């Protein structure tokens, strides 16, 4: 079993990068995404990254069963469709990755785990304009 956190860096039409995970699962607004700098650092308390238990469960399913039932594909299409429905041109979402930073549960460390103690895995890459 693994413990860790998700980061979803997205690239906009003008090259800016935003964190699509900042809203905790649902799509963030442009202002919300730009106000939170993209960070790959371990959050203090990972469950706080999710809007509610529903979104926590969705991400958990994606993490535990990445190839089952097309969860990543459906979520990726949702992010592209909804973001680009509201934003055009330089603010449009061009591409993103779903990253998971992880380590085995029970990998006890004498100090508080830091980002360097985790492995970065690309779970999904998506191009919104294919």
């Amino acid at each position: 079993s693994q413990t860790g956190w998700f980061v979803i860096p997205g690239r906009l039409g003008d090259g800016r990068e935003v964190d699509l995970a900042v809203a905790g699962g649902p799509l963030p607004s442009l202002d919300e995404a730009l106000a939170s700098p993209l960070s790959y650092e371990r959050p203090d308390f990972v469950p706080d990254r999710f809007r509610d238990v529903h979104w926590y469960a969705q991400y958990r399913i994606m993490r535990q069963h990445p190839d089952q039932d097309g969860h990543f594909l459906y979520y990726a299409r949702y992010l592209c469709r909804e973001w680009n429905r509201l934003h055009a041109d330089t603010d449009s979402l061009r591409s993103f990755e779903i990253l998971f930073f992880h380590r085995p549960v029970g990998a006890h460390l004498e100090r508080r785990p830091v980002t360097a103690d985790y492995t970065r895995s690309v779970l999904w890459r998506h191009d919104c304009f294919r």
Side-chain angles (χ1 to χ4, degrees), residues 1-63:
S1 184
Q2 302 280 316
T3 184
W5 71 97
F6 287 89
V7 177
I8 306 177
R11 182 158 312 274
L12 301 183
D14 63 1
R16 288 176 292 172
E17 283 194 325
V18 294
D19 184 0
L20 297 174
V22 73
L27 191 66
S29 69
L30 178 62
D31 290 339
E32 189 177 19
L34 292 175
S36 298
L38 183 60
S39 173
Y40 299 97
E41 296 300 312
R42 181 182 182 274
D44 289 333
F45 188 61
V46 172
D48 282 348
R49 295 263 305 165
F50 299 97
R51 170 141 316 153
D52 56 34
V53 71
H54 165 77
W55 282 103
Y56 177 76
Q58 290 295 340
Y59 274 74
R60 197 166 167 199
I61 288 168
M62 285 192 300
R63 185 185 82 217

